[in-house]
Amino acid sequence: DFTDQSLALTAWSWATLLIQDEPLMSALSSESIRKIAHFSPQHLSTIAWAFAKLLIWNPTLFTSIASQAIDKITQCDPQSHANLAWSFATLCRVNEPLLKAISASAISQISEWMPQELSNTAWSFARLKFQDGPLLTAIAAQALLKITEFASLNIAN
């Protein structure tokens, strides 16, 4: 029986290898939806990232991910926040309640964020044309403090 970790890591593996295996991804999606309440924030963001990386939009899966992520948002680490935002942005799907939850939670812990998380989150909100002044102000302030840590990839994103 696949756990949340097994489901997330299997999806991550196929996405990392850019393998579009429709039967497998469909099965992973169905099983993830069934077990979504037991997913950790990290595994929620990993499964979202994997499906987005493969450009697979499954409304039921992503609605379930968003709902659970909102409930667990204060448990999310910076990478989970950034990956959730990136996943929805990559698929060009605005989930306003999720974006607001990410914003509120991110602002409270923004000093812990690394350049990659700052730039990916800024890119995600910009791609979705979701203007969140307080979050963007917090990202800008942290970017100024950490600008020397930004790699060329972070600046390009």
Side-chain angles (χ1 to χ4, degrees):
D1 197 32
F2 270 55
T3 64
D4 63 326
Q5 181 179 20
S6 300
L7 291 163
L9 291 179
T10 302
W12 178 89
S13 298
W14 261 247
T16 299
L17 296 170
L18 297 175
I19 298 172
Q20 285 273 0
D21 186 321
E22 196 281 324
L24 176 62
M25 297 311 286
S26 179
L28 289 170
S29 175
S30 294
E31 191 66 6
S32 294
I33 292 165
R34 195 172 73 76
K35 295 180 175 179
I36 203 83
H38 303 291
F39 273 48
S40 70
Q42 179 184 359
H43 297 137
L44 288 169
S45 70
T46 300
I47 201 90
W49 179 89
F51 277 78
K53 180 75 173 169
L54 293 172
L55 300 177
I56 299 171
W57 170 247
N58 179 314
T60 305
L61 175 63
F62 276 86
T63 298
S64 298
I65 290 169
S67 176
Q68 285 299 309
I70 291 166
D71 289 347
K72 298 173 181 177
I73 201 71
T74 59
Q75 300 167 35
C76 286
D77 63 10
Q79 184 178 6
S80 295
H81 284 97
N83 285 350
L84 285 164
W86 181 90
S87 299
F88 279 81
T90 295
L91 295 168
C92 298
R93 304 295 175 159
V94 174
N95 184 301
E96 190 170 333
L98 176 61
L99 294 173
K100 286 180 177 182
I102 289 170
S103 174
S105 180
I107 289 169
S108 72
Q109 57 174 254
I110 201 87
S111 63
E112 301 168 25
W113 286 37
M114 301 302 293
Q116 185 73 44
E117 294 139 356
L118 295 168
S119 61
N120 283 358
T121 303
W123 175 88
S124 299
F125 276 68
R127 177 163 173 124
L128 293 173
K129 297 180 179 18
F130 194 84
Q131 292 192 18
D132 185 299
L135 176 63
L136 296 177
T137 298
I139 289 173
Q142 281 305 302
L144 286 171
L145 293 173
K146 297 178 179 182
I147 199 72
T148 59
E149 298 172 34
F150 275 62
S152 59
L153 177 63
N154 299 123
I155 294 169
N157 283 344

